[in-house]
Amino acid sequence: MRPFRIDIPQQDLDDLHRRLAATRWPVELPGVGWERGVPLAHLKELTEYWLHDYDWRTAEARLNRFPQFLTEIDGARIHLLHVRSPEPDATPLILTHGWPGSFAEFTEVIEVLTDPRAHGGDPRDAFHVVVPSLPGYGFSGPTGATGWDVPRVAAAWAELMRELGYDRYVAQGGDWGMPISLRLALADPEHVAGVHLNMLVTFPPDDPAAMADLDEADRARLDFAVRFDQDAAGWQKIQSTRPQTLSYGLTDSPVGQLAWIVEKFTEWSDPKQLTEETIDRDRILTNVMIYWLTATAGPSAQLYYESTHTPEDFVRTWGGPWPLTVPVAVASFPFDAVRPVRGFAERLLPTLTRWTEFDRGGHFAAMEQPGPFVQDVRAFARSLR
């Protein structure tokens, strides 16, 4: 475990600016809007902002406010934020991001989580916060080896928390953080006190009676899942099958990398507001920069190949089984890319103890709805005392 500070060479930023200025733009059919991907005018405007107004050095300084470290686990380099609370009895909490996110998703909630006293909260709600970057993602990448699937990442997280000296901790996650946090609880039940999820995949059971009991809202969730798989899951299919081929374009073209990520921030966020109002565009670009500057578009996609290469892999990775012995909480945000059915969740998770449905927010809960996200994590942690 050694301290780490982000310090991107200026030549890398100069190279990025040259590439942005020399972008070769494609043509676009008239009147298609977002139906066939990111609109040309939208991406051009965002690229102009990236080139002329976005300041990486400001973002870099903000990220470096938090103590960062590098360590090696199971042959892979692991980057992490580790922010200890001023409250000595704080609960350790490991936050796991997904794709196309990064550790930067949590930067606006870390100080509130670690020091509630300073933000008008109860000091008993304090956490020691650990935010690792997934193997192959950002400053954890590349892994340099095959085999990094969800159970292997979960085992690495158990070792990481042991290395940090935490005997009892809470695991939290959405997107890839969902199956990883659940697998972590299965792998390390003696030390995981509970699991909080802001996303849950629920597959319909074989029991016809379970389907007959669905109300209108739950049927709408199932209809959305069918439409999503047919129309909006292309990224998952290509990253699960040809991550290397995809990596050439995303590693060579910053605008390609931007489009690949900003599409998901737009589609998976609360549409009641424009994405760049819900999530500040500088924060979206900082997330894109973490992938671009570390050249981890390809390495990050390998987790899909390792864990969801076949339909059977997909069901096993996201659908369990989850024979857990620790409590689980689910915070469901209505505009997430995945919309769980509670009745199915209760069959999948025998220790489900908390279920919260929000009326705002989407996939990137800590960025879109930081206040409700923090409150729900705190409430769940209180139930574990």
Side-chain angles (χ1 to χ4, degrees):
M1 186 75 65
R2 61 192 186 279
F4 175 75
R5 186 174 180 83
I6 303 170
D7 186 14
I8 299 300
Q10 184 59 41
Q11 65 188 33
D12 291 356
L13 303 181
D14 294 340
D15 175 69
L16 168 63
H17 291 160
R18 284 192 296 269
R19 290 170 183 265
L20 291 174
T23 300
R24 184 184 183 202
W25 295 100
V27 298
E28 180 182 51
L29 293 174
V32 296
W34 283 86
E35 291 180 0
R36 306 189 184 201
V38 182
L40 180 61
H42 180 86
L43 199 63
K44 279 188 172 181
E45 192 275 332
L46 190 54
T47 299
E48 283 294 306
Y49 180 84
W50 192 6
L51 176 60
H52 298 293
D53 299 298
Y54 174 79
D55 184 355
W56 166 254
R57 293 304 183 194
T58 297
E60 187 178 66
R62 287 175 177 166
L63 295 174
N64 282 331
R65 289 181 302 154
F66 303 105
Q68 299 175 61
F69 301 87
L70 295 177
T71 189
E72 185 173 308
I73 299 175
D74 193 13
R77 179 176 65 181
I78 302 297
H79 162 263
L80 64 143
L81 304 185
H82 182 206
V83 187
R84 288 189 59 84
S85 171
E87 307 295 338
D89 296 327
T91 300
L93 172 69
I94 182 169
L95 300 167
T96 303
H97 67 86
W99 184 91
S102 69
F103 72 96
E105 284 184 56
F106 301 105
T107 54
E108 299 304 310
V109 300
I110 289 175
E111 291 171 329
V112 179
L113 288 169
T114 57
D115 194 2
R117 187 194 301 268
H119 295 83
D122 187 338
R124 292 176 296 178
D125 289 331
F127 296 96
H128 300 306
V129 173
V130 180
V131 188
S133 296
L134 290 171
Y137 284 66
F139 299 104
S140 283
T143 57
T146 60
W148 276 97
D149 58 6
V150 163
R152 189 172 177 182
V153 176
W157 276 197
E159 174 60 22
L160 174 63
M161 296 303 276
R162 185 202 65 77
E163 187 175 341
L164 293 172
Y166 292 134
D167 292 328
R168 186 174 186 271
Y169 56 92
V170 176
Q172 197 288 326
D175 197 270
W176 281 116
M178 174 222 133
I180 289 168
S181 296
L182 292 171
R183 290 292 174 192
L184 176 56
L186 289 173
D188 196 22
E190 299 85 1
H191 301 110
V192 176
V195 176
H196 181 281
L197 305 172
N198 61 276
M199 190 191 90
L200 180 67
V201 177
T202 55
F203 293 103
D206 296 329
D207 183 4
M211 299 294 292
D213 292 338
L214 295 179
D215 60 19
E216 185 176 345
D218 284 339
R219 291 189 180 278
R221 292 182 177 98
L222 289 182
D223 289 343
F224 173 83
V226 172
R227 295 194 307 273
F228 186 89
D229 183 64
Q230 293 174 342
D231 183 64
W235 102 95
Q236 188 269 330
K237 297 183 187 303
I238 193 170
Q239 294 194 165
S240 297
T241 57
R242 299 295 186 271
Q244 185 63 34
T245 303
L246 174 69
S247 71
Y248 297 114
L250 301 187
T251 305
D252 188 59
S253 168
V255 169
Q257 179 69 93
L258 174 64
W260 195 244
I261 289 178
V262 80
E263 179 183 85
K264 302 313 169 194
F265 271 89
T266 302
E267 290 184 347
W268 301 349
S269 297
D270 190 335
K272 292 179 181 178
Q273 293 178 295
L274 295 173
T275 299
E276 291 153 27
E277 295 175 359
T278 306
I279 306 173
D280 180 80
R281 63 168 53 187
D282 282 8
R283 297 191 66 200
I284 296 175
L285 287 170
T286 295
N287 189 74
V288 173
M289 287 287 279
I290 290 170
Y291 284 84
W292 174 259
L293 294 171
T294 59
T296 50
S300 65
Q302 297 296 335
L303 181 56
Y304 284 85
Y305 188 95
E306 300 288 356
S307 301
T308 60
H309 182 58
T310 67
E312 293 75 21
D313 290 337
F314 184 88
V315 173
R316 183 167 50 252
T317 294
W318 295 100
W322 311 115
L324 297 168
T325 58
V326 304
V328 179
V330 174
S332 178
F333 291 86
F335 297 101
D336 198 352
V338 176
R339 302 174 187 180
V341 174
R342 182 171 184 173
F344 299 168
E346 290 170 345
R347 292 168 176 256
L348 289 171
L349 296 168
T351 56
L352 182 64
T353 60
R354 180 179 176 85
W355 183 276
T356 311
E357 294 194 9
F358 295 91
D359 59 1
R360 296 296 304 273
H363 192 69
F364 306 94
M367 299 176 77
E368 295 181 64
Q369 296 292 316
F373 173 83
V374 168
Q375 291 169 12
D376 205 68
V377 173
R378 285 176 175 172
F380 177 59
R382 286 188 208 116
S383 72
L384 303 177
R385 293 174 186 165

